Amino acid sequence: MKPQLRLPLVIAALGGGMALLALGSGFAVWATLETAERDALAALLAPRAMLVVMIWLAVFGALAWGLARAFAHFVEAPAQLHEQAQVLLTSVAGKGAAVGDLQAQGNAANRGLADTLNALALQRTQLQRDVARQVALASRRIEQERSRLSTLMAELTQAVLVCNRDGMILLYNSRARAQFRGGAGATPTAGRAELIGLGRSIYAVFDRALLAHAWQTLEHRLQAGVSDASTLFVTRLRSGALLRVQMAAVRQPADDATNGSGFVLLLDDITQQVEQESLRDRLLLGLTEGSRASLGNLQAALDMLDLPDLEAPMRERFQAVVRDELATMTARVQSLADDVLAGMKTRWPLEDMLGADLVSAGLRRIESLGTLLASADDVDATLWLRVDSYTLLQALAYLAGRLADEYEVKSVALRLRAAGARAQLDLVWTGVAMSTETVMNWQLDAMRSAADATPLTLRDVVERHGGEFWFERERVRHEAFFRFLLPCADAQAPVHPTQAARSDDRPEFYDFDLFQTSAETRALDDRLLAELSYTVFDTETTGLDPSEGDEIIQIGATRIVNGKLLRGECFEQLVDPERALAAASIAVHGIQPGMLAGQPKIIDVLPVFHAFAHDTVLVAHNAAFDMRFLQLKEAATGLRFDQPVLDTLLLSAWVHPNQASHRLEAIAERVGVAVTGRHTALGDALVTAEVFLALVPLLQAKGVHTLGEARAASLQTFQARLTY
Amino acid sequence: MTHHILIADDEPNIVISLEYLMQREGFRVSIARDGDEALATILRERPALVLLDVMMPKKSGFEVCQAVRAEEAVAHTLILMLSAKGRDTDVAKGLGLGADAYMTKPFSTKALVQKVREMLESRA
């Protein structure tokens, strides 16, 4: 019943009741009267009927009014309060009905109730604000910690990988990535694919059984109650590198003490170290065993020489033996000394540094002393040094400082040249020179300057570099200089990984949300689109018809993991098609024939791309075209791209069946993706990836959630388009 | 009776001394320059004792020793191993493979002569 009808009905009932009462009582009195009495009463009442009705109406009116007041007071006021309270209950803090909105009406109890509700609502709002503030604070803290962690990881010289229990990579640093770059059997030119990436399997680089064994060991220790359990093993990668791996469990915070939720791998490349150590062992063994033999020969010959009855020719022969063995021993010791020196060079942790960078840092450091000017003079910009830059800069500042303080030198220059396998770093000044004795003292004094004091001496710094230091004078030019002889970086030393792999997308190095994904080997078709890993790719080709001999000339690909586009994990490779380019195709992709000379062949590139796309769903725009090129190479490479494929063209056509164009640009514009760098394979792949990410929610809105559903939808549109 | 001794070593600088020493002690001496030659000489000339160097070309002293012990006709040949390999594992290996004695270089010739005499007398 409608609330506003309630009161009139009640009043009507009152009126009815009163009418019944009046009529009933009148009829009852009427029935007891004699006819004469009835006439008398009628005569009496007839002229006053109006009055009776008036009285009745007045009483009715008064009662109705009272009823209406009571109704408002006892029924409507609580009902209103109820409604307002409900609004308040469903309102979100800061939105909808404000606190204190409840109107105190009705009787005292009702008014009290309203006040109490108001007070409760106020409390609730304060609590909500409090919680929101706490949440914001905590997430900011987490964000800070995350970024601190990722920065730390990026700067670590150790390679770090964090995996969940299924071996899926959740975090890695640039070192780790550099360690595994290229992968098994990849040719150097085609080796740009990454084996390490978010959501990728660690088993692509490590033997599954090996990690399983280490994990078991770790679990045993955890169960035994070792709090900081970790386990060590050494393994050789397919690339030949020898790694020392430390594995530690990532543990659930509180209740679940025995079950690690994942593991951390700390990797040290000990290839060089082991090589050096085994070299040292070989040297040592060579020294002991080789010397023993020589000493044996010497001793025997000497014993013979001691014999009194030795004839002259025999004596000659034994003396020759002694001379010969002495020469052998001398040569051995010399070669050993050379090797040991070479080994010593690498003992102190030296870093590779561009010589020019060191010089400019040195100039800044010297000028910051404030007492003299510094300039660069004849710096070989191509020279890479292997130095401990910190102490070396200290040494330069120390020398310059003493020159200024004790010899009033006003300006110095730095010079850097190659000298054979080493580099000469000179600190040059004009004018006064000092005695060799002074220079000797400077070398042995602790290097103190205004800025810092260190117990290190100049000699320590030089020894640390396995270098030399001396003072020279060029009388003709009236110049004097200190010369440091420093080691150069090995020509074949790898590019410093932190420089090679650094990108602006540092946060993409980790995704702890992957901890939450389960290992259920559900059929891929049942998996949600939002939680799958994708390789989004595009190819540029010599033409449109692979069966007529057209070939791939470029492959570009990027990855989507956990709904995020990983711009830092891309694949881009030009391919030598081993045939001429059609002029028409050059107009499309802008790749000139000259750019393809010397690039790897498709037969070398596809294995790398296959590894890149491993364990992911392939996505491409007009995928059938690209897939056809890949499939035609299956026989030659023996590699099948048999993972599920999604086509942004078909998906778009299913989402927006009434749109005329499903070209990549058109879709991108429709779903609000900015188009940049198109018509390079990687540029197109990135746009396709963003388009795909934008399509996923549109698909969900139309009820397509899983891969299977998306494939069914694609098939549907495909068939629909075929019938046109 | 003059004993026949084989010196098996590839280093002429020790062979010259050992040869002179052993001849001076009144032994008949043969020389072998590598493992193969050593084994062939032992089988052909049946020396009473072999001064056997461990590190030789073609066959190592260890291999020669093993082969000699496996060949019944010459299995009783006395073998004194001489080696620059002085780790206890090397000594253990030499004795384990059947050498009667093992001397690490450098050694005094006096001690060597004494050892050789002891070995021959114990057999006599």
Side-chain angles (χ1 to χ4, degrees), chain A residues 56-133:
Chain A
W56 186 88
L57 277 178
V59 171
F60 172 69
L63 281 178
W65 180 80
L67 197 63
R69 287 295 307 273
F71 195 83
H73 205 70
F74 294 106
V75 178
E76 281 182 346
Q80 276 170 7
L81 187 64
H82 176 223
E83 277 171 7
Q84 287 173 355
Q86 265 181 334
V87 170
L88 194 63
L89 183 68
T90 50
S91 74
V92 184
K95 287 180 194 166
V99 173
D101 268 3
L102 297 194
Q103 297 299 316
Q105 284 174 335
N107 63 355
N110 209 41
R111 286 198 301 274
L113 193 58
D115 288 343
T116 310
L117 283 176
N118 275 334
L120 277 173
L122 184 67
Q123 248 181 25
R124 186 185 72 144
T125 311
Q126 280 168 344
L127 273 173
Q128 279 173 336
R129 284 202 190 122
D130 218 31
V131 166
R133 202 165 42 239

Side-chain angles (χ1 to χ4, degrees), chain A residues 285 288-304 307-311 314 317-318 320-321 324-325 328, chain B residues 9 11-24 55 83-87 90 104-111 113:
Chain A
L285 209 65
T288 52
E289 292 187 350
S291 303
R292 274 218 182 95
S294 276
L295 289 171
N297 300 353
L298 276 169
Q299 166 113 45
L302 272 177
D303 285 355
M304 297 306 104
L307 296 173
D309 53 346
L310 199 62
E311 314 90 36
M314 267 330 269
R317 289 181 64 187
F318 288 124
V321 167
D324 187 38
E325 288 301 334
T328 312
Chain B
D9 202 319
E11 274 197 68
N13 279 349
I14 190 77
V15 170
I16 179 177
S17 302
L18 291 180
E19 183 184 13
Y20 184 79
L21 183 70
M22 291 301 141
Q23 282 171 346
R24 201 168 168 280
M55 285 180 294
S83 173
K85 281 178 177 278
R87 293 181 303 175
D90 296 319
T104 305
K105 294 176 183 179
F107 46 79
S108 90
T109 49
K110 205 177 283 174
V113 167

Side-chain angles (χ1 to χ4, degrees), chain A residues 48 115 121 158 178 190 192 280 361 377 457 483 570 584 603 697 716:
Chain A
R48 296 172 185 88
D115 288 343
Q158 238 179 355
R192 274 188 245 162
R280 201 167 307 151
D377 168 28
T457 65
R483 171 161 291 173
C570 290
I603 210 103
Q716 209 180 319

Side-chain angles (χ1 to χ4, degrees), chain A residues 636-660:
Chain A
T637 57
L639 293 171
R640 282 175 53 78
F641 287 87
D642 50 4
Q643 50 268 78
V645 180
L646 286 179
D647 186 342
T648 44
L649 189 153
L650 294 180
L651 292 176
S652 164
W654 191 81
V655 170
H656 296 132
N658 300 319
Q659 298 291 333

Side-chain angles (χ1 to χ4, degrees), chain A residues 179-202:
Chain A
Q179 182 74 60
F180 295 105
R181 174 160 297 146
T187 59
T189 40
R192 274 188 245 162
E194 309 282 355
L195 291 170
I196 293 294
L198 294 183
R200 285 193 183 283
S201 171
I202 187 73

